[in-house]
Amino acid sequence: MSTRETGDTGSRAERVLRRRWRAPVMFTVLGLGALVLFGLLAPGGERSTFGISTAGDIVEIDPLGVPSRQAAILLALLCLAVAGYAFLLTARAEPVPLWLSVLFGTAFVLSFLTWAVAGETISLTGALQGSLALSVPLIFGALCGMLGERTGVINIAIEGQLLAGAFLSGVVASLLGNLWVGLIAAPLAGLLVAYLLAVFSIRYLVNQIIVGVVLNVLVLGLTNFLYGRLLSPQAGTWNSPGRFPRWKIPVLGDIPVIGPVLFDQTVIVYCMYLAVIVVHVALFHTRWGLRVRAVGEHPEAADTAGIAVNAVRFRNVLIGGAVAGFGGAYFTLGAIGVFSREMTAGAGFIALAAMILGRWKPMGAVFAALLFGFANNLQSVLGIIGSPIPSEFMLMAPYVLTIFAVAGLVGRIRPPAANGQPYIKS
């Protein structure tokens, strides 16, 4: 037997040993649950109606009404078909691709929607618009955490960086009367918080999680103090920045569903699209990204190869802080138009969960953040139409999924090997 044949046989045997059946099993369990709960046990004779078009679309599409029970059953069967294909891939010792998981998640959510909206009407386009709006700061926060953790630095201070960006962007835009200057100031606030995190955790080797928690409390206390002393009493001067208008991209913005959701947004959302692409390309298709991932996986080997480990970590934490600060500006300049106390409402911690669920990859984190945003927005939509589903259930579902993911029930999730470990050059 030749050396190549021996190597191929060994590689194939290694893949067989690494077979992981948890993802297809989980798909099967959830698919069967959807089939029984949303389909077979649902009352018949009702229709679920979804609004598709908005005013100004190139093509006007009438609201789509579907038989609730039959549609839920068909979508649940699609979930089971995806589960079957996942079993086939696993039996061949091949990994379950991301697109298959996305397809399963989409079919499962649509099955749930047809059951939850039975006898009622909701605007699908409006629900997706609200979901994206709630996901924007989560995506920026997830990118921030990813840039740090890919080098081995755990960033618990994302919440503080988002809040600092929201605060400084609102104050600067109010004082100078210019939204663009406020937007430029937002990354500087996140950068300052990130600098404190980097100095204490990398240079002075303080526990990274403790430093992150302290910084969150510091930013929260400082912004609350300044809000009570300046922003609230003198809102006309200190807290009246306004909001960026929506910029509709010609032709693309008129496409039904996709257009109003993706291409009729503010400049901050368009910057988010660009940030996701840049981070993905930089991490996985450049020499810089290779060095960053080497530092996060095996800092000793990276140091031996001539890479300044702590310098790379320091730089990435600063870049991540600037990204998070920019995302924080969305709260003030993109969504609400004023700064309010604790307006991030735990978005930094949700961004961490999205990063973990997305397996420390930009595209995975985007889909995870969209899931959190969709669940958060859907509980409001279902409350408006009087759905009997408790709103707390919708808010709880993404976190339960994250726990399952971290526990390995939907496939292996492994952080960078040196994550959270300070590096001392020997």
Side-chain angles (χ1 to χ4, degrees), residues 51-277:
I52 304 297
S53 295
T54 59
D57 288 345
I58 295 178
V59 179
E60 294 286 342
I61 302 177
D62 294 331
L64 176 63
V66 296
S68 302
R69 185 179 183 184
Q70 291 87 333
I73 290 175
L74 287 176
L75 290 166
L77 292 176
L78 176 58
C79 290
L80 292 175
V82 171
Y85 184 55
F87 269 110
L88 180 61
L89 290 176
T90 305
R92 295 175 178 174
E94 298 178 12
V96 177
L98 177 62
W99 68 264
L100 195 63
S101 299
V102 172
L103 176 60
F104 176 87
T106 302
F108 183 85
V109 169
L110 290 176
S111 178
F112 168 78
L113 274 181
T114 56
W115 170 74
V117 186
E120 301 291 343
T121 301
I122 66 169
S123 171
L124 183 60
T125 303
L128 294 177
Q129 284 177 319
S131 302
L132 180 61
L134 293 172
S135 302
V136 171
L138 304 183
I139 294 173
F140 277 112
L143 293 178
C144 166
M146 191 180 311
L147 287 168
E149 296 203 14
R150 277 289 179 176
T151 65
V153 179
I154 298 176
N155 189 352
I156 301 295
I158 298 175
E159 176 77 4
Q161 292 162 351
L162 289 172
L163 188 59
F167 175 83
L168 189 61
S169 64
V171 169
V172 171
S174 300
L175 292 176
L176 300 181
N178 191 312
L179 291 172
W180 290 100
V181 178
L183 186 60
I184 294 172
L188 299 179
L191 191 68
L192 177 59
V193 180
Y195 178 79
L196 295 175
L197 173 66
V199 167
F200 284 104
S201 63
I202 299 174
R203 184 170 300 172
Y204 296 109
L205 306 180
V206 181
N207 184 281
Q208 298 170 6
I209 296 178
I210 293 176
V211 174
V213 172
V214 170
L215 289 175
N216 286 335
V217 175
L218 173 64
V219 175
L220 179 62
L222 183 61
T223 54
N224 281 349
F225 172 78
L226 294 175
Y227 179 84
R229 290 298 183 93
L230 291 176
L231 274 66
S232 182
Q234 304 177 42
T237 302
W238 291 87
N239 196 20
S240 56
R243 295 185 299 175
F244 279 104
R246 291 178 178 270
W247 290 353
K248 186 176 182 178
I249 298 179
V251 181
L252 293 177
D254 296 324
I255 300 174
V257 183
I258 297 177
V261 174
L262 298 179
F263 305 114
D264 187 8
Q265 295 290 347
T266 65
V267 63
I268 301 177
V269 179
Y270 294 131
C271 288
M272 181 200 71
Y273 300 157
L274 180 62
V276 171
I277 296 172

